[in-house]
Amino acid sequence: MEIGLERGFRTALGDIIIMQLQLASVFFTFSLGTRVHYFGRTILHGGAKYRATGRGFVVRHEKFAENYRLYSRSHFVKGLELMVLLICYRLYGSAADDGISYALLSFSMWFLVLSWLFAPFLLNPSGFEWQKIVEDWEDWSKWISCRGGIGVPSVKSWESWWEEEQEHLRHTGFMGCLVEIILSIRFFIYQYGIVYHLNMTASIRQGIRQSIVVYCLSWLVIVAVLIILKIVSMGRMKFSADFQLMFRLVKLVMFVGSIVTIAMLFYFLDLTIGDIFQSILAFVPTGWALLQISQACRTVVKGIGMWGSVKALARGYEYMMGVLLFAPITILAWFPFVSEFQTRLLFNQAFSRGLQIQRILAGSKMQA
């Protein structure tokens, strides 16, 4: 309306169309996520400080690891949580019976999810250039596998960055930790709803008491997985160096045992492939909730000697999230026109031509 009153409504309409083509709505939605995250964290735990928003004209390519460090907690985790909820709404929701109704009802939420997950890469110069993708993956793999320690910066090690991300929990009070735990309980309620709809539980989920039994049985699966992870972690520390054969035999026995257990569930409890997919939807968020509660109760977890297992589980979740984010970017980078379209979309024609010439010269130097 402001542009229409100043310069005419035809000009305003053209400017709005151009801004949408330049992903202005994506950037605005993403920037709102930044404010929401840090406002919420500051209200719960205090510690207000300046957050750089990067107002300059950015033409330098940011590595995938850098974007992950900046936006993992503020955008990627929340985006993936909303995506899982939207998938569950499609599977179990009754308001949208067909695909068209579901698309109309959830379009705005899917736009929010995609903006929070992929805006840093869409607006990243040369974000879909294949050589940059290869370098980003190597850099991110090196970063997430590097062990931390005294004097190791967060840009070099995932462990150092993970410790820094929990700094607000060290300075918060009892109420801040309690609120974090209460907020994490939502994942347990979600787990109950998913487990209740499994086909294998249809014969025993009659009545409130039976449904609670089903929920408790699902926790046995989670406890079993945690025990396996603990055994693997301890075996790696004690046997991987001197008794490699013994460590491999232990992993083989656990793998065969898992396959046999799944086969028995298929045979005796009518487990289906759909149940496996739904179980993943149920248990993966539950594991994340256990991580959040463990971080809030850091002192207690360290006291019982489980902090190493928590760190190993957290690394696995980070690696999984990184792969989920990196896979679509890699697929798009296979097509050369995507990178050229992104360059023309973000920058003017003169700069786009200069960037293309720079790529040709860089390729010539590499061949020479």
Side-chain angles (χ1 to χ4, degrees), residues 202-222:
S203 58
I204 57 176
R205 66 186 186 200
Q206 299 174 358
I208 297 178
R209 182 175 300 177
Q210 286 78 4
S211 63
I212 295 176
V213 171
V214 171
Y215 181 66
C216 294
L217 290 176
S218 68
W219 273 99
L220 294 178
V221 178
I222 297 175

Side-chain angles (χ1 to χ4, degrees), residues 13-46:
L13 180 61
D15 289 347
I16 289 176
I17 294 175
I18 293 174
M19 284 191 292
Q20 300 310 313
L21 293 176
Q22 292 178 340
L23 305 181
S25 297
V26 174
F27 175 80
F28 180 75
T29 304
F30 187 84
S31 63
L32 285 180
T34 304
R35 299 187 183 96
V36 167
H37 174 75
Y38 287 109
F39 283 167
R41 174 178 290 187
T42 304
I43 291 173
L44 286 177
H45 308 289

